[in-house]
Amino acid sequence: MSASLAPECNEVKERYDNCFLKWYSEKFLRGTATTDECDPLFKQYEKCLSVREPISLVRPTHHHQKVLKERGIDKMVKEAREDNRENDAEHMKPVSVPSSPS
Amino acid sequence: MVKFYSSTDTYSYPFPAVTLAYFLRYPNPYSTHVLSTDTIARDFDPETQRLTTIRLHLKRSKLPSAVTKLLPRSLLGASASGDTQTYILEKSVVDVKEGWMDTESRNLEWTGVLSVIERQVFRRPMPEVPDEVKLFQGMEGAARRHGFLNFGGNGAGAKVGVDLNGETTEVESSVTLHSHVGEAWRKKRLAAQEGSSSSSEEEQPQKVGFLRSWGTATLQRNIEKIGLTRTLRSQPNAREGMKVVLERMREGGLVGVLEGMRKDREAILQGRDLLKRDGTPRAGED
């Protein structure tokens, strides 16, 4: 699995990623998913990322939470969630499938 | 001034496998520059069966010397040597019913110098049959794909699954490059001329002089050109990376992919070059 930005979150990330991959391949892709079963693990992972300050190898002064806030990612995330909730993913639809010639 | 690159490609793998490979594409031997990948938001809508994911990647990169030469030291700061890292925000939506995955990645750092937005749309090819038949075949196809995505990593079954289907996935990629360099300074200068706040006066002499000698538009055009060259060079690596992941999936299912990733990650931590190809640019500047 890929590493987390915050090394101390690697473990909880791996637990979440494994859960997600199983759910994604066994339920989501088969169209039988009813809920996101891995959400409780995601919440733990999310908490690890936002509460604790990772010892970043590359940029010790930038911790994750700061990154999310500074870069406006938290806002983008919120918007994306609202988009999805409103089922307004119209702009994310693939561009025109060529229509059959008249 | 915007530079634009686009291409289309076809993967010889079924759509569900390609979407899974997209989520699992780092690390791979062509992406040793990707230091971390975190899922920061995920939303499943049971109504539409759409999955929205937002991930944050941290990539190590090297600013091209052509760029470091163009920019003033004050802007480059600690990255004057060219070594830097970039956060990439990736948003994806998968609609498994309609058979598409729409992805968009953008850099969060250096956007003032060059903003790069990469979009990839994966699509299950449309069968050329009437709607009612299509629906039926779609269901049948989904059933056949089950073997391929077996979590237990049943290698033989997975292989048969792919070969029997002969299914493909179309991908449309585009990259938009846009340099805003100099725009903020120009705005500041205009503001200063209009007699409004001149709090940043001490910053101005160097930058104004620098811009005068170049011209903002020329500078932006040059930076976009350099970005485009880099994009053209990195696209094949990105494609090869996906293909490595898909091949691992075909050979050993999900377990095979995870095992491959584990090895790649170890190699990256030990600083080994996974490709060992002389003269190849470091897999990485995508």
Side-chain angles (χ1 to χ4, degrees):
Chain A
M1 213 67 75
S2 53
S4 171
L5 179 63
E8 74 275 25
C9 299
N10 275 334
E11 211 183 300
V12 62
K13 169 181 153 58
E14 184 145 353
R15 260 186 286 144
Y16 169 68
D17 281 348
N18 280 327
C19 177
F20 170 74
L21 291 172
K22 197 164 158 55
W23 173 80
Y24 187 77
S25 49
E26 294 182 355
K27 305 233 169 120
F28 178 80
L29 286 178
R30 297 177 189 186
T32 59
T34 49
T35 56
D36 179 358
E37 293 164 15
C38 305
D39 196 51
L41 276 174
F42 183 75
K43 294 231 161 68
Q44 286 178 33
Y45 171 34
E46 191 178 39
K47 196 175 164 209
C48 179
L49 283 178
S50 59
V51 169
R52 297 174 68 180
E53 294 187 16
I55 311 124
S56 171
L57 316 162
V58 267
R59 184 180 285 196
T61 51
H62 267 63
H63 57 82
H64 195 98
Q65 193 178 26
K66 205 170 151 202
V67 168
L68 299 192
K69 288 240 165 72
E70 263 179 6
R71 307 288 163 192
I73 300 174
D74 51 341
K75 249 187 249 157
M76 293 178 70
V77 170
K78 212 174 144 235
E79 280 169 16
R81 282 187 160 154
E82 278 160 9
D83 266 10
N84 199 43
R85 203 155 287 144
E86 288 162 19
N87 191 14
D88 184 24
E90 216 48 41
H91 64 291
M92 288 295 281
K93 262 194 175 168
V95 261
S96 66
V97 175
S99 54
S100 50
S102 46
Chain B
M1 207 71 61
V2 173
K3 286 269 176 199
F4 191 76
Y5 158 89
S6 78
S7 74
T8 55
D9 197 6
T10 303
Y11 287 115
S12 328
Y13 297 85
F15 173 75
V18 172
T19 67
L20 187 59
Y22 184 85
F23 286 128
L24 291 169
R25 74 193 192 286
Y26 301 135
N28 71 63
Y30 291 86
S31 73
T32 52
H33 62 300
V34 180
L35 302 169
S36 69
T37 294
D38 283 287
T39 302
I40 57 172
R42 188 155 255 152
D43 203 281
F44 169 63
D45 184 342
E47 199 92 351
T48 59
Q49 290 280 311
R50 277 183 195 168
L51 181 72
T52 304
T53 303
I54 296 178
R55 299 196 298 177
L56 185 68
H57 307 287
L58 182 61
K59 296 186 181 184
R60 184 182 57 223
S61 61
K62 189 145 178 75
L63 296 174
S65 63
V67 167
T68 53
K69 274 179 209 147
L70 290 177
L71 298 175
R73 279 193 151 270
S74 58
L75 186 66
L76 289 166
S79 304
S81 66
D83 287 314
T84 185
Q85 73 276 311
T86 323
Y87 287 102
I88 309 283
L89 191 70
E90 169 205 289
K91 180 183 174 183
S92 64
V93 181
V94 189
D95 189 317
V96 76
K97 269 198 290 186
E98 293 176 7
W100 54 262
M101 179 183 202
D102 198 333
T103 71
E104 193 188 87
S105 300
R106 51 175 75 222
N107 58 317
L108 296 175
E109 314 248 321
W110 299 105
T111 49
V113 177
L114 183 66
S115 111
V116 181
I117 300 177
E118 190 176 341
R119 188 158 176 238
Q120 276 187 301
V121 183
F122 302 90
R123 229 171 280 159
R124 185 166 57 213
M126 291 284 214
E128 287 170 34
V129 283
D131 280 352
E132 318 83 66
V133 186
K134 214 189 300 177
L135 182 70
F136 176 72
Q137 286 186 340
M139 307 281 277
E140 205 182 31
R144 272 188 278 126
R145 280 188 294 270
H146 285 188
F148 186 83
L149 295 163
N150 197 334
F151 196 73
N154 175 349
K159 199 176 176 74
V160 170
V162 173
D163 290 344
L164 282 180
N165 290 340
E167 282 181 55
T168 58
T169 302
E170 289 158 5
V171 56
E172 256 178 57
S173 313
S174 71
V175 182
T176 310
L177 302 120
H178 192 181
S179 176
H180 300 276
V181 79
E183 287 172 8
W185 308 331
R186 197 166 45 186
K187 269 183 218 143
K188 267 190 205 166
R189 198 169 58 209
L190 286 175
Q193 277 165 5
E194 282 160 16
S196 55
S197 97
S198 54
S199 57
S200 53
E201 235 173 332
E202 74 282 2
E203 283 180 49
Q204 289 196 13
Q206 188 213 345
K207 286 174 182 170
V208 171
F210 167 76
L211 283 175
R212 223 170 247 155
S213 67
W214 266 92
T216 308
T218 311
L219 185 62
Q220 290 178 350
R221 209 159 43 234
N222 281 327
I223 288 174
E224 285 163 2
K225 222 185 282 169
I226 295 162
L228 184 65
T229 305
R230 196 180 255 228
T231 297
L232 294 174
R233 214 174 61 195
S234 71
Q235 286 294 308
N237 278 336
R239 258 198 307 277
E240 288 308 310
M242 274 290 279
K243 283 178 184 165
V244 167
V245 175
L246 283 161
E247 192 52 41
R248 285 171 176 170
M249 205 181 286
R250 190 196 327 246
E251 294 286 323
L254 196 44
V255 169
V257 178
L258 296 179
E259 180 58 16
M261 284 173 115
R262 196 185 55 76
K263 284 187 183 147
D264 290 345
R265 192 169 151 192
E266 262 171 28
I268 292 164
L269 285 174
Q270 288 165 17
R272 270 190 276 135
D273 183 1
L274 291 165
L275 291 175
K276 297 196 177 81
R277 287 184 304 166
D278 290 327
T280 309
R282 192 175 67 196
E285 286 108 20
D286 57 341

